[in-house]
Amino acid sequence: PAPDDAAPAPGYKFGDISRGLAKRFQDATNSITGKESYEFGDLSRWLDGKAKAAVNDVTGKDEYEFGDVSRWLDGKAKAAVNEVTGKEQYEFGARPA
């Protein structure tokens, strides 16, 4: 009879591929985070820290607070409106002087 192409390789056990992929993910995560052993959520916490650090670089703050990006963007928009209108302080609906 012809060999069955769908037959698993000798020594294969159900879940080997999933466990192999999980091990690769954990090793890659440990490499990125600098940790010795993987714990669930390590990558998410690492990404969260990196994102907050980037926001702090942009806003010039030492510690991230929820809403920092929105407040920073609001301030930049108001400054641009002030520049166009020639006013020193933002006023809703302001028109050029």
Side-chain angles (χ1 to χ4, degrees), residues 15-95:
D16 283 352
I17 293 173
S18 299
R19 282 188 291 281
L21 290 173
K23 175 74 172 125
R24 285 179 148 191
F25 172 79
Q26 290 173 359
D27 290 346
T29 299
N30 289 343
S31 176
I32 291 169
T33 62
K35 290 185 70 180
E36 298 263 335
S37 62
Y38 174 79
E39 292 178 44
F40 183 78
D42 282 348
L43 185 58
S44 297
R45 283 187 293 277
W46 182 82
L47 288 169
D48 179 64
K50 289 293 185 181
K52 287 176 179 176
V55 169
N56 290 343
D57 286 346
V58 169
T59 62
K61 292 182 69 179
D62 292 329
E63 193 170 317
Y64 173 81
E65 291 180 58
F66 183 78
D68 282 349
V69 173
S70 298
R71 285 187 291 276
W72 181 81
L73 288 170
D74 181 62
K76 290 293 183 182
K78 288 176 179 176
V81 169
N82 290 342
E83 188 174 319
V84 169
T85 61
K87 298 192 177 199
E88 290 185 29
Q89 188 168 349
Y90 175 78
E91 180 183 326
F92 181 76
R95 299 183 189 273

